[in-house]
Amino acid sequence: MVPALPQLADGIGATPAGGQLVISLYLIGLALGQLGWAPVADRHGRRPVLIGGMTLFLIGTLICALAGDLATMLVGRAIQAIGASSSLIAGRAMATDTAPVGKAAAPLAILTSVTLISPALAPALGGAVTSIGGWRALFWILAGLTLIAAALAVRMLPETRPGDRAPVHLRRIATTYWQVLRQRGYLPLALSNALISGGFFTFLAASPFVLDAAGATPAQAGLFYSAVASAIIGGTLCVPVVLRRWPHALKPAGSVALGGGAVAILIVAASGAGLVGLFVAMSLMAFGAGLTGPALLAEAIEQQRERASAATGLFGTMQMGGAALISTLAVRLAPSPAVEFGLIGVLVVVALGLRGLSNQAVSKP
């Protein structure tokens, strides 16, 4: 969507600021929608949530494709986001349901690596589609892909955990989330993941100006971001291999890579190193995040599988909401990109400390 924003804003008569709402509203809906779907998935099963969410996403996509003004577009994007958030809940819960106890990190890593292909390739594909068929073509293609995905889900995905069909009340939802938060070690893990994500959001907010000042073209900037995204994907793809051969090495390997990246980005911030230093630091940190992210989620879920959807939903909401808040504050308050890059290193160091606290909390009798 990002490459098409100028054309989309012109097409619906919106200002550039209004066009940005098309992105920000979607991210907000994606974060908050997980909180609503999670208890439904635990009470009524994963499959209805997944298929129902796809249906909502399709409706929202069609509204966006036909939108003639900003208000209609935002309504469509909100419906899209709520529908899309269901797959984050149902997909991760299904992966956890079908994994043996203590082995959820591997399937979650594969699921994460596939998911990360989207932000790595989407800007280039979106730009190509927009240049050929205009911004509305993006939504028509999404509608077609959603129909195919829904048909595959109906045909191929069985229910992995039937719900108890009990009514979903607000009080019961609040109680479930309170129980999730009270689980020993959960909150430090969720906060650690949010801080790591906040570091990457801050990088995405600050680095375009650094790349532009260095004379990088949009195409070169796109390759820069794709390479960093590929490092995350590489890290997630290594998780099943490491778990299979050296199961006890996953945590220290992820921590070493993240810590090394944090030190490197602090050096870049202090010394004013160029794009090569920034690329090396962020790629190392990205690889560590790929190793660590699925493990953090698996650790957060493993001890409360009976509330897996709620644990996943709250984890995702804290990740996206916290990261968005952290990056917004960093961009608003930091006086320069160098300070923002230094903050990334600090965030990751604090995240590693929180993960250590979680391990201590879980190990206590």
Side-chain angles (χ1 to χ4, degrees), residues 152-291:
L152 290 172
V154 169
R155 183 174 180 82
M156 299 178 65
L157 290 180
E159 179 59 73
T160 58
R161 183 184 173 228
D164 58 17
R165 306 295 174 181
V168 179
H169 299 299
L170 288 178
R171 183 174 180 180
R172 191 172 186 180
I173 292 174
T175 300
T176 299
Y177 281 125
W178 177 241
Q179 291 171 337
V180 168
L181 279 174
R182 290 182 61 194
Q183 180 67 39
R184 185 177 297 173
Y186 179 89
L187 188 57
L189 288 170
L191 290 175
S192 176
N193 191 59
L195 290 174
I196 294 170
S197 298
F200 279 97
F201 272 52
T202 302
F203 164 70
L204 292 174
S207 56
F209 303 99
V210 176
L211 290 169
D212 183 65
T217 66
Q220 291 169 337
L223 289 174
F224 185 93
Y225 293 122
S226 293
V228 174
S230 296
I232 303 179
I233 296 171
T236 60
L237 290 176
C238 286
V239 171
V241 178
V242 174
L243 284 176
R244 186 168 58 251
R245 297 185 178 182
W246 312 283
H248 299 296
L250 182 60
K251 286 184 182 180
S255 297
V256 168
L258 273 172
V263 171
I265 196 70
L266 287 170
I267 293 174
V268 168
S271 65
L275 295 184
V276 173
L278 179 62
F279 174 76
V280 171
M282 289 307 303
S283 294
L284 180 58
M285 195 180 300
F287 184 77
L291 284 174

Side-chain angles (χ1 to χ4, degrees), residues 63-92:
I63 292 173
C64 291
L66 299 171
D69 55 63
L70 180 61
T72 304
M73 175 63 68
L74 293 179
V75 168
R77 289 291 278 173
I79 296 174
Q80 265 193 323
I82 294 171
S85 62
S86 74
S87 64
L88 294 175
I89 294 298
R92 290 169 176 171

Side-chain angles (χ1 to χ4, degrees), residues 33 50 62 66 98-99 103 128 142 209 221 235 284 334 352:
L50 185 65
L62 294 175
L66 299 171
T98 55
K103 303 293 184 181
L142 277 178
F209 303 99
L284 180 58
L352 291 173

Side-chain angles (χ1 to χ4, degrees), residues 25-38 46-61 63-64 74-91 146 149-150:
L25 179 66
Y26 184 85
L27 294 176
I28 292 171
L30 201 62
L32 297 180
Q34 296 179 65
L35 292 178
W37 284 115
R46 316 321 192 187
R47 186 177 154 93
V49 164
L50 185 65
I51 296 172
M54 286 184 177
T55 302
L56 278 179
F57 185 83
L58 177 60
I59 293 171
T61 301
I63 292 173
C64 291
L74 293 179
V75 168
R77 289 291 278 173
I79 296 174
Q80 265 193 323
I82 294 171
S85 62
S86 74
S87 64
L88 294 175
I89 294 298
T146 303

